[in-house]
Amino acid sequence: MSSTRTWFESVAEAERRARRILPPSVFAAIRAGAEGGVTLSENVAAFSRLALLPTVADLPAERTLATVVMGTPVSFPVLLSPTGVQAVHPEGEVAVARAAKEADTLMGVSAFASSPLEAVAAVTEKFLFQTYWSGSRSLLTSRLQRAREAGARGLIVTLDWCFDFRRDWGSPWIPQRLDTKAIVRYLPELVRRPGYVQRYLAAGGPPDLGVPNMADLRGEVPGFFAAFEEWMRTPPPTWDDLAWLREQWDGPFMIKGVTRVQDARRARDIGATAISVSNHGGNNLDSTPATVRCLPAIVDAVGDDIEVLLDGGVRRGSDVVKALALGARAVMIGRPYLWGLAAGGTLGVTNVLEILRAGVSETLYALGKASLAELNRADVLVPDGFAIGDRQVDG
């Protein structure tokens, strides 16, 4: 299907449309990686260094893409990673939830989301709540209880960020609140993006920078920077802290941000049911290896005991298949669906998911595989020195 005004053929086209629609500062906040963007670029480029080996006969007429992730059946192995303050579209996470429901897959809802958990739960039952180690233990348990009552299918604990805002090309300015002073400062950008302004005017006004899922024990909703300060002021967790947190959540439990074998083993040992091999999309420590390079050694170390997901650099259905052939249960995407959200709201997110779904199906067909379970490492040519071995990751 060729691209039209409301439909696009590739994730790259979604990115181009998002760039045209969003104010430059908003687009930069999504697109940028830490410091020089080395890891951001490597996450994507690493997939191109993996070759696939197609076959030409006895190809499967039908392919099964369904799998189970953290105890929840999904129609294909692509999940929507939690991302905070989705100011690319007025409906934010609610629009994403509609697309996730239509695609029959799981979405992650960030503690720093623009929309409350309950608004997402009203649209889809298949969602995971993501939290940071932030605030007191009593505050953490209250947030977990709220997620449990909302119906979250699992918990994601994100650990892969060292508060690095440095960008070699400059970090976009983010206001404390969208007051008159902030709007005046943004005015030159807004004048150039009338469609973005019209969306918000039609929705009732500029985005609210409050983060409802970080409400305190009295139920008061903090602004983004107040919530961020709480997080930064909280001493980082020990493995004992994470073991305690695991005990507070009686359902599926994921630790996100693993790139070392030793961390994968510790996550398994505290009872985590899943890990996400992730470097925060290149927004953590720059020069961290691409996640797909870290994946094989981690799968070899813990893959029989725990679900291993991959997050970072996925732009095509063939990337998904490569990750699964190397042992991932599923992948998580962030920027691609945010670009789709910016380009077309729910329809744009659906568009991105359908691009990836079609790509997974077509790649399986070319490989002669009728299901995801038939994939194995023999389907991928991994160049010498590509995979980060146990010694390098665990040393």
Side-chain angles (χ1 to χ4, degrees), residues 20-24 183-198:
R20 293 196 298 266
I21 289 168
L22 296 175
I183 291 172
V184 168
R185 179 166 177 172
Y186 274 125
L187 195 58
E189 293 189 27
L190 297 175
V191 168
R192 293 159 52 196
R193 297 294 188 269
Y196 179 82
V197 175
Q198 289 168 7

mmCIF file of all heavy atoms in Angstrom, residues 20-24 183-198:
data_model
loop_
_atom_site.group_PDB
_atom_site.id
_atom_site.type_symbol
_atom_site.label_atom_id
_atom_site.label_comp_id
_atom_site.label_asym_id
_atom_site.label_seq_id
_atom_site.Cartn_x
_atom_site.Cartn_y
_atom_site.Cartn_z
ATOM 1 N N ARG A 20 7.751 17.233 10.636
ATOM 2 C CA ARG A 20 7.018 18.331 10.005
ATOM 3 C C ARG A 20 5.902 18.882 10.894
ATOM 4 O O ARG A 20 5.557 20.055 10.798
ATOM 5 C CB ARG A 20 6.423 17.883 8.671
ATOM 6 C CG ARG A 20 7.445 17.576 7.591
ATOM 7 C CD ARG A 20 6.813 17.529 6.216
ATOM 8 N NE ARG A 20 5.802 16.492 6.095
ATOM 9 C CZ ARG A 20 6.042 15.269 5.637
ATOM 10 N NH1 ARG A 20 7.278 14.916 5.300
ATOM 11 N NH2 ARG A 20 5.072 14.381 5.541
ATOM 12 N N ILE A 21 5.351 18.043 11.759
ATOM 13 C CA ILE A 21 4.200 18.426 12.570
ATOM 14 C C ILE A 21 4.613 19.050 13.896
ATOM 15 O O ILE A 21 4.018 20.042 14.347
ATOM 16 C CB ILE A 21 3.300 17.197 12.824
ATOM 17 C CG1 ILE A 21 2.589 16.793 11.540
ATOM 18 C CG2 ILE A 21 2.285 17.460 13.940
ATOM 19 C CD1 ILE A 21 1.903 15.454 11.606
ATOM 20 N N LEU A 22 5.637 18.506 14.537
ATOM 21 C CA LEU A 22 5.988 18.909 15.898
ATOM 22 C C LEU A 22 6.862 20.162 15.921
ATOM 23 O O LEU A 22 7.709 20.359 15.039
ATOM 24 C CB LEU A 22 6.728 17.779 16.597
ATOM 25 C CG LEU A 22 5.953 16.486 16.829
ATOM 26 C CD1 LEU A 22 6.864 15.422 17.434
ATOM 27 C CD2 LEU A 22 4.749 16.727 17.722
ATOM 28 N N PRO A 23 6.704 21.006 16.940
ATOM 29 C CA PRO A 23 7.684 22.077 17.144
ATOM 30 C C PRO A 23 9.078 21.475 17.282
ATOM 31 O O PRO A 23 9.228 20.390 17.850
ATOM 32 C CB PRO A 23 7.209 22.715 18.464
ATOM 33 C CG PRO A 23 5.760 22.377 18.560
ATOM 34 C CD PRO A 23 5.624 21.024 17.925
ATOM 35 N N PRO A 24 10.096 22.146 16.746
ATOM 36 C CA PRO A 24 11.443 21.561 16.768
ATOM 37 C C PRO A 24 11.901 21.100 18.147
ATOM 38 O O PRO A 24 12.553 20.055 18.272
ATOM 39 C CB PRO A 24 12.317 22.707 16.235
ATOM 40 C CG PRO A 24 11.399 23.462 15.321
ATOM 41 C CD PRO A 24 10.057 23.402 15.976
ATOM 42 N N ILE A 183 4.934 30.037 26.774
ATOM 43 C CA ILE A 183 4.287 30.091 25.458
ATOM 44 C C ILE A 183 4.922 31.172 24.596
ATOM 45 O O ILE A 183 5.144 30.975 23.394
ATOM 46 C CB ILE A 183 2.767 30.311 25.620
ATOM 47 C CG1 ILE A 183 2.135 29.047 26.232
ATOM 48 C CG2 ILE A 183 2.118 30.641 24.282
ATOM 49 C CD1 ILE A 183 0.689 29.203 26.609
ATOM 50 N N VAL A 184 5.256 32.315 25.212
ATOM 51 C CA VAL A 184 5.914 33.388 24.458
ATOM 52 C C VAL A 184 7.273 32.909 23.947
ATOM 53 O O VAL A 184 7.658 33.171 22.809
ATOM 54 C CB VAL A 184 6.061 34.650 25.332
ATOM 55 C CG1 VAL A 184 6.997 35.663 24.662
ATOM 56 C CG2 VAL A 184 4.701 35.281 25.580
ATOM 57 N N ARG A 185 8.001 32.199 24.785
ATOM 58 C CA ARG A 185 9.316 31.703 24.367
ATOM 59 C C ARG A 185 9.187 30.693 23.221
ATOM 60 O O ARG A 185 10.014 30.641 22.329
ATOM 61 C CB ARG A 185 10.028 31.060 25.563
ATOM 62 C CG ARG A 185 11.397 30.509 25.201
ATOM 63 C CD ARG A 185 12.217 30.204 26.425
ATOM 64 N NE ARG A 185 13.502 29.603 26.070
ATOM 65 C CZ ARG A 185 14.483 29.365 26.935
ATOM 66 N NH1 ARG A 185 14.327 29.690 28.209
ATOM 67 N NH2 ARG A 185 15.605 28.807 26.538
ATOM 68 N N TYR A 186 8.122 29.869 23.281
ATOM 69 C CA TYR A 186 7.897 28.874 22.240
ATOM 70 C C TYR A 186 7.225 29.445 20.991
ATOM 71 O O TYR A 186 7.133 28.758 19.971
ATOM 72 C CB TYR A 186 7.002 27.744 22.779
ATOM 73 C CG TYR A 186 7.731 26.639 23.495
ATOM 74 C CD1 TYR A 186 7.380 26.285 24.795
ATOM 75 C CD2 TYR A 186 8.758 25.926 22.874
ATOM 76 C CE1 TYR A 186 8.028 25.251 25.452
ATOM 77 C CE2 TYR A 186 9.406 24.895 23.523
ATOM 78 C CZ TYR A 186 9.043 24.561 24.811
ATOM 79 O OH TYR A 186 9.692 23.537 25.457
ATOM 80 N N LEU A 187 6.748 30.694 21.069
ATOM 81 C CA LEU A 187 5.910 31.237 20.003
ATOM 82 C C LEU A 187 6.510 31.124 18.606
ATOM 83 O O LEU A 187 5.807 30.725 17.657
ATOM 84 C CB LEU A 187 5.554 32.698 20.311
ATOM 85 C CG LEU A 187 4.412 33.300 19.483
ATOM 86 C CD1 LEU A 187 3.145 32.474 19.664
ATOM 87 C CD2 LEU A 187 4.172 34.753 19.894
ATOM 88 N N PRO A 188 7.809 31.437 18.403
ATOM 89 C CA PRO A 188 8.366 31.298 17.046
ATOM 90 C C PRO A 188 8.239 29.873 16.497
ATOM 91 O O PRO A 188 8.002 29.690 15.299
ATOM 92 C CB PRO A 188 9.837 31.692 17.231
ATOM 93 C CG PRO A 188 9.839 32.596 18.423
ATOM 94 C CD PRO A 188 8.791 32.024 19.335
ATOM 95 N N GLU A 189 8.386 28.875 17.361
ATOM 96 C CA GLU A 189 8.226 27.490 16.911
ATOM 97 C C GLU A 189 6.756 27.169 16.634
ATOM 98 O O GLU A 189 6.431 26.481 15.659
ATOM 99 C CB GLU A 189 8.755 26.519 17.973
ATOM 100 C CG GLU A 189 10.250 26.589 18.193
ATOM 101 C CD GLU A 189 10.738 25.461 19.101
ATOM 102 O OE1 GLU A 189 10.075 24.401 19.129
ATOM 103 O OE2 GLU A 189 11.769 25.643 19.773
ATOM 104 N N LEU A 190 5.885 27.662 17.488
ATOM 105 C CA LEU A 190 4.458 27.356 17.348
ATOM 106 C C LEU A 190 3.869 27.976 16.088
ATOM 107 O O LEU A 190 3.002 27.377 15.433
ATOM 108 C CB LEU A 190 3.699 27.837 18.585
ATOM 109 C CG LEU A 190 4.092 27.159 19.902
ATOM 110 C CD1 LEU A 190 3.364 27.802 21.077
ATOM 111 C CD2 LEU A 190 3.790 25.663 19.857
ATOM 112 N N VAL A 191 4.347 29.168 15.734
ATOM 113 C CA VAL A 191 3.861 29.821 14.513
ATOM 114 C C VAL A 191 4.188 28.978 13.289
ATOM 115 O O VAL A 191 3.417 28.925 12.321
ATOM 116 C CB VAL A 191 4.473 31.237 14.392
ATOM 117 C CG1 VAL A 191 4.221 31.823 13.002
ATOM 118 C CG2 VAL A 191 3.898 32.155 15.461
ATOM 119 N N ARG A 192 5.305 28.262 13.350
ATOM 120 C CA ARG A 192 5.716 27.418 12.225
ATOM 121 C C ARG A 192 5.009 26.071 12.211
ATOM 122 O O ARG A 192 5.162 25.308 11.252
ATOM 123 C CB ARG A 192 7.231 27.198 12.287
ATOM 124 C CG ARG A 192 8.041 28.474 12.052
ATOM 125 C CD ARG A 192 9.451 28.341 12.608
ATOM 126 N NE ARG A 192 10.141 27.141 12.141
ATOM 127 C CZ ARG A 192 11.246 26.656 12.708
ATOM 128 N NH1 ARG A 192 11.748 27.266 13.784
ATOM 129 N NH2 ARG A 192 11.829 25.580 12.213
ATOM 130 N N ARG A 193 4.278 25.750 13.269
ATOM 131 C CA ARG A 193 3.599 24.455 13.357
ATOM 132 C C ARG A 193 2.123 24.664 13.721
ATOM 133 O O ARG A 193 1.655 24.253 14.778
ATOM 134 C CB ARG A 193 4.274 23.569 14.415
ATOM 135 C CG ARG A 193 5.720 23.218 14.113
ATOM 136 C CD ARG A 193 5.843 22.331 12.876
ATOM 137 N NE ARG A 193 7.205 21.842 12.689
ATOM 138 C CZ ARG A 193 8.138 22.462 11.965
ATOM 139 N NH1 ARG A 193 7.830 23.613 11.358
ATOM 140 N NH2 ARG A 193 9.339 21.944 11.850
ATOM 141 N N PRO A 194 1.359 25.319 12.830
ATOM 142 C CA PRO A 194 -0.041 25.628 13.158
ATOM 143 C C PRO A 194 -0.895 24.392 13.395
ATOM 144 O O PRO A 194 -1.828 24.430 14.196
ATOM 145 C CB PRO A 194 -0.521 26.416 11.929
ATOM 146 C CG PRO A 194 0.412 26.016 10.822
ATOM 147 C CD PRO A 194 1.735 25.800 11.485
ATOM 148 N N GLY A 195 -0.591 23.293 12.708
ATOM 149 C CA GLY A 195 -1.376 22.077 12.903
ATOM 150 C C GLY A 195 -1.270 21.564 14.321
ATOM 151 O O GLY A 195 -2.268 21.105 14.913
ATOM 152 N N TYR A 196 -0.079 21.631 14.893
ATOM 153 C CA TYR A 196 0.141 21.197 16.273
ATOM 154 C C TYR A 196 -0.668 22.067 17.225
ATOM 155 O O TYR A 196 -1.329 21.568 18.145
ATOM 156 C CB TYR A 196 1.635 21.287 16.585
ATOM 157 C CG TYR A 196 2.028 20.888 17.993
ATOM 158 C CD1 TYR A 196 2.185 19.557 18.327
ATOM 159 C CD2 TYR A 196 2.274 21.854 18.962
ATOM 160 C CE1 TYR A 196 2.577 19.176 19.608
ATOM 161 C CE2 TYR A 196 2.665 21.497 20.246
ATOM 162 C CZ TYR A 196 2.807 20.155 20.573
ATOM 163 O OH TYR A 196 3.191 19.800 21.842
ATOM 164 N N VAL A 197 -0.635 23.382 16.994
ATOM 165 C CA VAL A 197 -1.378 24.314 17.842
ATOM 166 C C VAL A 197 -2.880 24.054 17.730
ATOM 167 O O VAL A 197 -3.594 24.015 18.741
ATOM 168 C CB VAL A 197 -1.050 25.768 17.455
ATOM 169 C CG1 VAL A 197 -1.919 26.745 18.244
ATOM 170 C CG2 VAL A 197 0.429 26.063 17.697
ATOM 171 N N GLN A 198 -3.360 23.846 16.521
ATOM 172 C CA GLN A 198 -4.793 23.621 16.313
ATOM 173 C C GLN A 198 -5.272 22.365 17.032
ATOM 174 O O GLN A 198 -6.372 22.332 17.579
ATOM 175 C CB GLN A 198 -5.086 23.539 14.818
ATOM 176 C CG GLN A 198 -4.970 24.870 14.100
ATOM 177 C CD GLN A 198 -4.970 24.730 12.585
ATOM 178 O OE1 GLN A 198 -5.176 23.645 12.048
ATOM 179 N NE2 GLN A 198 -4.722 25.839 11.902
#
